[in-house]
Amino acid sequence: MVINELLAPAQPITWLPWAVQYFFLIGLAYGALWLGVFELWRKAPDPRLQTLAAVLMVAAGLVAPIALTADLHQPARAWHFYAQTRFGSVMWYGAYLLPLFSLLSMLLGWLLLRPALARRGAEGDKIARLARLLCLGSWSGHVWQRPLSLLAALSGLSIALYTGLETMAVAARPLWHTPWLPWLLTLSAVLGAQSALLLLNRMLAGWRGQTESTLLRQSGWTLSLLALSLLGWVLFGGASAAEAAALYRLDPELAAGGPLAVTDPGAGRPVDAAAAKDLCPPVALGAGAAGAAPGVGPALAGADSGAARTQVRGRRLSL
């Protein structure tokens, strides 16, 4: 069976760009939400960091569900999640947890952005009028920020667990089927959010050195914890770590020390892409073709073209 994508090449069933985008964006969303909540509860919060976290959680939180819906390939059938009960399915729970997270993160992000919108609305241009409109009045939303932040943080935790458990449940993939996976995904999501906030602090107007210092210090702790967790996974990950080691050993590109290269045995050096195109005979791809090199995956079955013959040697094609 082959999935026919409009925006991606047709390929056997595997991870497609939509699912990969969802994992990345939802990690940025709940990572930014946690960082914003943490800053909100500090004795001396950084308004700049709160604003940046709100921008990231709103932007990523809006796009991530769209990517996940596109990954269904038939989004019009998404209502089937709500027309039946599947208490043993992690994805069924996610159908309820994800919209709740989107709602809470949008509300919290809006409350954190209202002070910046109010300051921008004090000016007299067209953007200021839009900022005043987005504020929905001049009332203070500070009293709602902390209660809502607790609910949103718990919702973010549910999304982190849902995303990790949904992948971990695939027993046919030993690499993913490990209790370490949700924890590692969560740490990498927080680190990605911290890195994105560092970038936003540089890109958006109002750069603050204190904000950058805070994010660098936090990312250092996160990176250290992630490194220790990866070490623990390698030592105690069982079949998952063994699968990762096997994939590393069998990866043809890593074994050859570089990408696929075409070499001319007469000259003893690689040839450029144009020369390779002229010199190489047509190559047919076949899962069961004869002459397959061990560990290469789909075999390359070449045909004689005069005196030249294409053979697979590791990851190098020799003429």
Side-chain angles (χ1 to χ4, degrees):
M1 181 177 180
V2 174
I3 295 174
N4 294 316
E5 277 280 339
L6 295 178
L7 301 178
Q11 55 186 304
I13 295 177
T14 183
W15 288 118
L16 293 175
W18 301 115
V20 177
Q21 291 173 40
Y22 164 74
F23 281 120
F24 177 69
L25 292 169
I26 202 65
L28 291 183
Y30 67 72
L33 187 148
W34 287 343
L35 294 171
V37 170
F38 177 76
E39 195 66 28
L40 182 64
W41 284 84
R42 289 181 61 188
K43 292 183 178 179
D46 183 353
R48 170 71 174 178
L49 185 51
Q50 289 182 2
T51 301
L52 295 177
V55 170
L56 183 58
M57 78 173 75
V58 169
L62 279 174
V63 180
I66 299 175
L68 184 61
T69 304
D71 187 59
L72 296 175
H73 305 292
Q74 296 193 35
R77 295 185 178 180
W79 63 270
H80 288 186
F81 283 118
Y82 308 100
Q84 53 189 326
T85 57
R86 291 290 185 271
F87 295 110
S89 170
V90 178
M91 188 174 292
W92 181 78
Y93 290 101
Y96 293 91
L97 295 175
L98 186 57
L100 178 62
F101 171 77
S102 297
L103 175 63
L104 292 175
S105 62
M106 295 303 107
L107 288 176
L108 180 61
W110 174 65
L111 287 177
L112 293 177
L113 284 172
R114 284 188 79 248
L117 291 173
R119 290 192 298 270
R120 186 65 178 85
E123 303 179 16
D125 54 1
K126 294 181 179 179
I127 303 296
R129 289 198 294 270
L130 178 61
R132 290 194 297 269
L133 180 63
L134 292 176
C135 281
L136 298 181
S138 58
W139 51 276
S140 174
H142 182 73
V143 67
W144 297 101
Q145 288 181 355
R146 289 195 170 188
L148 184 60
S149 69
L150 294 178
L151 294 175
L154 290 175
S155 180
L157 178 61
S158 72
I159 293 301
L161 290 173
Y162 152 67
T163 305
L165 293 175
E166 178 189 27
T167 309
M168 171 190 161
V170 184
R173 296 277 185 166
L175 180 65
W176 306 336
H177 193 57
T178 171
W180 287 89
L181 183 66
W183 174 246
L184 292 173
L185 286 178
T186 301
L187 285 178
S188 62
V190 174
L191 184 61
Q194 290 165 337
S195 303
L197 292 176
L198 282 168
L199 183 61
L200 289 177
N201 188 39
R202 288 282 181 172
M203 293 178 60
L204 301 182
W207 175 86
R208 290 191 68 207
Q210 179 184 354
T211 302
E212 184 165 303
S213 300
T214 300
L215 288 170
L216 286 174
R217 183 173 63 254
Q218 293 177 356
S219 60
W221 285 105
T222 307
L223 185 59
S224 300
L225 186 56
L226 179 59
L228 290 175
S229 300
L230 286 172
L231 179 61
W233 167 69
V234 169
L235 296 177
F236 308 107
S240 175
E243 180 77 4
L247 290 173
Y248 180 83
R249 290 194 306 269
L250 297 176
D251 187 282
E253 184 171 335
L254 293 174
L260 182 67
V262 179
T263 58
D264 184 350
R269 57 180 175 79
V271 297
D272 58 25
K277 183 178 179 181
D278 294 334
L279 293 175
C280 287
V283 176
L285 295 179
V296 176
L300 294 174
D304 287 330
S305 176
R309 178 177 177 82
T310 303
Q311 296 178 340
V312 178
R313 297 179 181 176
R315 283 283 285 180
R316 296 186 177 275
L317 294 178
S318 297
L319 297 177

